[in-house]
Amino acid sequence: MTLKEQPKIELHLHLEGAAPPAFIRGLAAEKREDISGIFDEGGGYAWRDFRHFLRVYEAATSVLRSPEDYRRLTLAVLEESAAHGVIYSETFLSPDFCGGRDVTAWRDYLAAIEDAAAEAEAKMGITLRAIITPIRHFGPEKSRDVAICAAETAGRFVTGFGIAGDEMICEPKDFAWAFDCAREAGLGLTAHAGEWRGPQHIRDTLAALAPSRIGHGVRAIEDLALVDELAERGTVLEVCPGSNISLGIYRDWRKHPIGQLYDRGVKVTVSTDDPPFFHTTMTREWDRLADAFDWDQGVFDTLNRTALDAAFCDRDTKEKLAKRLEPRA
Ligand code: ADE
Ligand code: ZN
């Protein structure tokens, strides 16, 4: 079996961030909107730095304006993931973009996304679950409405709650109400932290929001006591090395801390974050990691098992997926 065909579990993927640029260009053309400024000559997304990336992301997302647009987006994204062996994916979804935080509109978007996920599961064998996510730089007040949308729709498909966006804006405690609301609704919790800010931000996130998983978390490496604490607590890191390198947080794959975090006993997993923005895929992530850290099949099996254990889906789904991860004779 080729690296590309090997079954993979991915926990950290932004649905809009995974939109193939050709898909967004096509949608813009259908709506007669000119967003050509967000593409480079090769047709890929053009961005300069993290803040600009967030602006380009939101400009691309601006052409997604109906449940039907999201149904088509979900199918396009899952087709790409499945082509790289992904059998289970958790995607961040934002009611900010899907219906402007109105619960009734949100239910319509969600129904369309879930419908596409069911179609992809039947046709391509990939299972999708959703992590509902306020955007940090839209502010704490909006995060409350997002949490209400999440709590109202928690269930088999909506299984998690998170937070993304500009990490430099607001403090973790500003989002405690939203996280408490999501926790009470039975949702699994994750939070982006330690991507742009250092170890203290990870500590503050754990104290204020108590997530079982951290999105990125890689800058924990700057404080080995925190690394050991993460290992002891069993906090799972959703590491996206290609994203970190593309955004300039680390110079190259060998300099990326995932190897050290793994060796020190932290539960790391691997994801793509926003694959077309960072010119990556799950196959490329595995390939570069194998090369940089001499990781063999045994390590990738461990990463898959860690990810499946930490997944926010129900036990039945996990058991079915576990069977598909077993090596075939
Ligand atoms: N939204 C999409 N990608 C993100 C990232 N890498 N960090 C924070 N928010 C994001
Ligand atoms: Zn992310």
Side-chain angles (χ1 to χ4, degrees):
M1 199 188 287
T2 64
L3 192 66
K4 191 174 174 185
E5 289 164 341
Q6 283 183 36
K8 302 174 184 76
I9 307 282
E10 180 167 37
L11 299 181
H12 188 121
L13 180 78
H14 300 262
L15 192 65
E16 299 88 0
F23 174 83
I24 293 294
R25 249 194 321 279
L27 210 54
E30 283 173 27
K31 295 174 193 234
R32 298 183 196 286
E33 294 222 10
D34 181 11
I35 54 163
S36 53
I38 68 166
F39 301 109
D40 60 25
E41 304 100 65
Y45 294 115
W47 51 271
R48 290 183 301 276
D49 55 28
F50 181 58
R51 289 252 161 85
H52 187 227
F53 155 76
L54 289 176
R55 287 212 302 277
V56 169
Y57 184 114
E58 282 161 28
T61 301
S62 71
V63 301
L64 293 157
R65 282 202 297 265
S66 68
E68 173 60 15
D69 292 344
Y70 268 85
R71 194 189 65 76
R72 289 164 63 190
L73 170 67
T74 305
L75 274 176
V77 168
L78 291 179
E79 194 174 330
E80 188 61 25
S81 294
H84 287 277
V86 178
I87 59 168
Y88 176 80
S89 181
E90 287 186 5
T91 193
F92 296 110
L93 290 181
S94 302
D96 299 280
F97 301 135
C98 301
R101 296 173 298 281
D102 173 78
V103 178
T104 306
W106 162 243
R107 283 189 194 280
D108 290 343
Y109 276 81
L110 198 57
I113 294 165
E114 225 180 313
D115 187 53
E119 185 179 335
E121 183 151 14
K123 287 190 181 149
M124 303 171 228
I126 180 168
T127 301
L128 183 71
R129 294 291 183 265
I131 301 172
I132 312 313
T133 308
I135 311 291
R136 221 183 278 260
H137 53 273
F138 293 172
E141 208 158 287
K142 291 189 172 127
S143 79
R144 295 173 182 236
D145 294 338
V146 170
I148 291 165
C149 287
E152 288 287 330
T153 52
R156 188 170 158 78
F157 184 67
V158 169
T159 53
F161 190 76
I163 182 138
D166 191 340
E167 199 178 320
M168 306 310 281
I169 294 180
C170 300
E171 293 303 320
K173 65 176 166 42
D174 299 329
F175 301 98
W177 190 96
F179 271 70
D180 287 346
C181 173
R183 185 182 293 105
E184 275 170 34
L187 292 165
L189 302 178
T190 177
H192 281 60
E195 179 189 19
W196 295 101
R197 289 170 76 177
Q200 190 56 45
H201 191 241
I202 298 173
R203 290 185 188 283
D204 293 347
T205 299
L206 291 171
L209 310 177
S212 62
R213 300 180 355 203
I214 294 277
H216 299 284
V218 284
R219 289 195 55 195
I221 203 64
E222 295 162 33
D223 175 349
L224 292 181
L226 174 61
V227 172
D228 292 343
E229 195 182 319
L230 292 173
E232 248 160 61
R233 292 168 75 126
T235 304
V236 172
L237 301 189
E238 304 155 5
V239 184
C240 309
S243 159
N244 298 153
I245 293 159
S246 183
L247 284 164
I249 301 171
Y250 301 102
R251 235 192 6 247
D252 61 49
W253 288 77
R254 284 199 175 80
K255 294 263 171 3
H256 194 280
I258 190 170
Q260 275 172 278
L261 291 164
Y262 178 81
D263 289 343
R264 243 180 134 90
V266 178
K267 289 188 173 176
V268 297
T269 62
V270 172
S271 295
T272 56
D273 210 10
D274 308 283
F277 283 87
F278 307 135
H279 304 285
T280 198
T281 61
M282 279 297 277
T283 308
R284 178 175 175 268
E285 297 290 319
W286 280 29
D287 184 51
R288 297 295 150 97
L289 290 169
D291 197 42
F293 301 110
D294 235 356
W295 280 358
D296 58 14
Q297 187 58 46
V299 177
F300 291 109
D301 289 346
T302 302
L303 297 179
N304 265 343
R305 268 199 310 273
T306 302
L308 188 56
D309 280 350
F312 293 146
C313 60
D314 57 87
R315 212 175 48 210
D316 211 42
T317 305
K318 284 194 191 193
E319 278 168 12
K320 285 193 187 119
L321 291 164
K323 289 214 175 70
R324 294 179 64 191
L325 291 181
E326 281 168 12
R328 273 178 275 166

